């Protein structure tokens, strides 16, 4: 699978590790991460709960796509995540939309309130875990353009300064996804912004 992704010029491997539907086994995820790294690819993982975030961190995952929504992280847990080179793309917009969908449709759920999910982002940010902006479109009407603006607002509400939120959408993704010529405005750099 990884070799095929390499042949397609993939930049990273995204692993879906989701407890509410059939998923990969941890030893399969470990091998996917190992093979990704052997081929100089990043390995990122879609997760939904804190336990999976910690397990995949211990297997060497480079990034988490989504912040978990089942628990507020403890000091020892955030210290563990901060001990490596992990980045997190919280996708707060999709958490907000999912929570609203549950409320509007009277669906019982154990999902944290958005304020607690933002608290997880705040705690990680305070521990210097890089926070990158992302929105997870097309879920629940999110789009690939303007939904990012609201995501940046949610990141500021989670403790990032406005300039840190801007970096989360520009220079930090370029750095962590190894997009060397993108993400900043500089002399002789590409004009790839509006």
């Amino acid at each position: 699978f990884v070799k095929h992704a390499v042949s397609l010029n993939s930049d990273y491997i995204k692993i879906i590790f989701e407890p509410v539907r059939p998923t990969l086994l941890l030893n399969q995820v470990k091998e996917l991460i190992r093979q990704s790294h052997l081929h100089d690819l990043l390995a990122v993982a879609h997760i939904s709960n804190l336990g999976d975030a910690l397990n995949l961190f211990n297997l060497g995952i480079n990034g988490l796509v989504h912040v978990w929504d089942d628990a507020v992280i403890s000091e020892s847990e955030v210290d563990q995540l901060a001990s490596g080179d992990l980045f997190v793309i919280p996708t707060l917009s999709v958490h907000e939309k999912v929570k609203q969908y549950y409320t509007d449709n009277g669906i019982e759920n154990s999902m944290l309130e958005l304020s607690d999910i933002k608290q997880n982002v705040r705690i990680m940010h305070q521990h210097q875990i890089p926070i990158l902006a992302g929105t997870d479109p097309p879920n629940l009407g999110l789009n690939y353009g303007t939904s990012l603006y609201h995501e940046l607002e949610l990141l500021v509400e989670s403790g990032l300064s406005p300039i840190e939120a801007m970096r989360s959408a520009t220079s930090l993704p370029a750095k962590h996804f190894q997009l060397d010529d993108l993400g900043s405005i500089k002399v002789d750099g590409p004009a790839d912004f509006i």
Side-chain angles (χ1 to χ4, degrees), residues 15 62 89 102 160 172:
I15 300 164
N62 299 105
I89 306 171
Y102 287 157
L160 279 71
L172 286 179

Side-chain angles (χ1 to χ4, degrees), residues 58-69:
N58 288 330
L59 296 179
I61 202 77
N62 299 105
L64 298 175
V65 182
H66 306 300
V67 65
W68 52 91
D69 59 23

Side-chain angles (χ1 to χ4, degrees), residues 8 12 24 30-31 34-35 50 61 85 95 105 107 110 114 136 155 158 170 179-180 183-184:
L8 298 174
Y12 61 91
L24 299 167
K30 180 178 181 179
E31 186 61 18
R34 190 178 80 77
Q35 288 295 323
L50 178 56
I61 202 77
D85 292 326
H95 287 287
N105 291 285
I107 300 171
S110 58
L114 186 62
D136 202 29
L155 291 175
S158 301
T170 56
L179 306 170
D180 298 330
S184 61

Side-chain angles (χ1 to χ4, degrees), residues 1 10 13 20 50 56 78 90 105 109 111-112 136 161 164:
F1 173 81
S10 297
I13 300 295
V20 297
L50 178 56
L56 272 56
V78 75
N105 291 285
N109 64 86
M111 185 178 174
L112 291 175
D136 202 29
S161 71
E164 288 170 330

